[in-house]
């Protein structure tokens, strides 16, 4: 029996490219972009993509009544957060003069400083957009077949600062060292876009599809 993978549809995020990438690495799975609560509960795995503003994201989650489904999925099955799907796991964002998030983990989402110097001494562009190294903080099944320091594609102006450093699964340098992936139990979440990150991104998605958390 093929496994079911739910890509959470709350009206935001690059949903089609995420679902197509999952279909590519898991051709026998049933991948569905959905906000149907029952289907999400029955899914074997859940992917929470997202992009855009934190306040809009939180409002959209509420409008689709997905708060409980998100929390239950995080506790009960393999769960992958992508970009905003990482940031909303924190408690609070600096965006829009302060936005309350899901509060799954203590921590904040902070904006990159506008005057961060690059290697040439000139201020780095914000948002951080393009390919950057991802330095793995510890071994994990989702890193299998991916070299430490592999480059992934980013598009973001904010980064997470979790209070619990044991959550950190990877860091990236862009003016400062920031957290680019976290892991706890059956949850893994990344700041970069694996669906836009060529072979290494597809490998991470394939690893997620095959992941059996202990």
């Amino acid at each position: 029996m093929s496994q079911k993978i739910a890509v959470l549809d709350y009206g935001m995020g690059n949903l089609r490219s995420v679902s197509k990438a999952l279909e590519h690495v898991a051709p026998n799975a049933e991948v569905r972009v959905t906000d149907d609560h029952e289907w999400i509960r029955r899914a074997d795995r859940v992917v929470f993509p997202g992009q855009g503003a934190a306040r809009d994201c939180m409002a959209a989650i509420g409008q689709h009544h997905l708060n409980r489904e998100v929390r239950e999925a995080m506790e009960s099955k393999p769960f992958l957060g992508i970009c905003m799907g990482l940031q909303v796991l924190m408690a609070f964002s600096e965006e829009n003069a302060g936005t309350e998030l899901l509060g799954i983990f203590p921590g904040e989402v902070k904006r990159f400083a506008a005057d961060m110097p690059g290697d040439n001494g000139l201020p780095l562009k914000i948002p951080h957009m393009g390919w950057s190294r991802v330095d793995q903080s510890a071994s994990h099944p989702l890193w299998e077949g991916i070299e430490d320091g592999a480059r992934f594609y980013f598009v973001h102006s904010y980064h997470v600062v979790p209070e619990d450093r044991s959550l950190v699964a990877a860091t990236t340098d862009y003016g400062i060292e920031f957290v680019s992936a976290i892991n706890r139990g059956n949850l893994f979440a990344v700041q970069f876009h694996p669906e836009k990150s060529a072979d290494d991104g597809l490998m991470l998605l394939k690893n997620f599809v095959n992941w059996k958390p202990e």
Side-chain angles (χ1 to χ4, degrees):
M1 187 174 179
S2 64
Q3 64 171 317
K4 295 178 172 63
I5 304 174
V7 179
L8 296 184
D9 181 6
Y10 57 101
M12 296 180 67
N14 201 9
L15 304 176
R16 181 171 174 79
S17 63
V18 171
S19 63
K20 290 299 181 186
L22 287 165
E23 290 171 358
H24 178 77
V25 300
N28 295 321
E30 183 180 357
V31 180
R32 184 178 297 188
V33 177
T34 183
D35 64 354
D36 182 273
H37 295 187
E38 186 58 34
W39 209 90
I40 294 167
R41 292 189 191 109
R42 288 190 284 109
D44 300 292
R45 299 170 191 275
V46 170
V47 180
F48 183 10
Q51 57 192 32
R55 182 169 293 176
D56 293 343
C57 178
M58 290 300 299
I61 292 170
Q63 289 164 6
H64 288 254
H65 306 289
L66 288 172
N67 301 65
R68 187 175 70 177
E69 278 62 38
V70 169
R71 292 177 183 275
E72 288 181 352
M74 290 176 186
E75 295 172 356
S76 62
K77 62 192 71 179
F79 185 99
L80 177 64
I82 298 173
C83 195
M84 185 58 68
L86 162 63
Q87 294 185 12
V88 296
L89 303 179
M90 299 295 115
F92 182 80
S93 174
E94 290 183 342
E95 195 172 354
N96 297 114
T99 300
E100 287 190 11
L101 305 175
L102 290 175
I104 305 299
F105 302 112
E108 291 186 313
V109 179
K110 294 182 174 290
R111 195 181 195 283
F112 285 117
D115 57 353
M116 292 191 306
D119 292 338
N120 59 5
L122 298 175
L124 290 168
K125 292 182 179 180
I126 307 298
H128 169 213
M129 183 180 297
W131 297 81
S132 291
R133 280 176 53 104
V134 171
D135 298 311
Q136 301 166 19
S137 301
S139 61
H140 188 277
L142 264 68
W143 296 134
E144 187 174 343
I146 300 172
E147 287 190 15
D148 189 10
R151 298 171 72 84
F152 289 82
Y153 189 80
F154 291 80
V155 183
H156 64 125
S157 299
Y158 292 79
H159 61 95
V160 298
V161 184
E163 290 183 10
D164 183 356
R165 296 298 295 183
S166 71
L167 289 169
V168 179
T171 59
T172 295
D173 285 314
Y174 190 71
I176 60 169
E177 181 184 79
F178 69 90
V179 175
S180 52
I182 67 170
N183 166 241
R184 175 63 53 83
N186 58 284
L187 178 147
F188 200 92
V190 298
Q191 182 61 65
F192 52 83
H193 288 271
E195 77 280 6
K196 299 180 181 178
S197 297
D199 290 345
D200 284 325
L202 291 176
M203 178 59 74
L204 187 141
L205 292 176
K206 183 176 181 180
N207 289 340
F208 171 71
V209 168
N210 295 321
W211 181 31
K212 296 178 180 178
E214 297 180 359

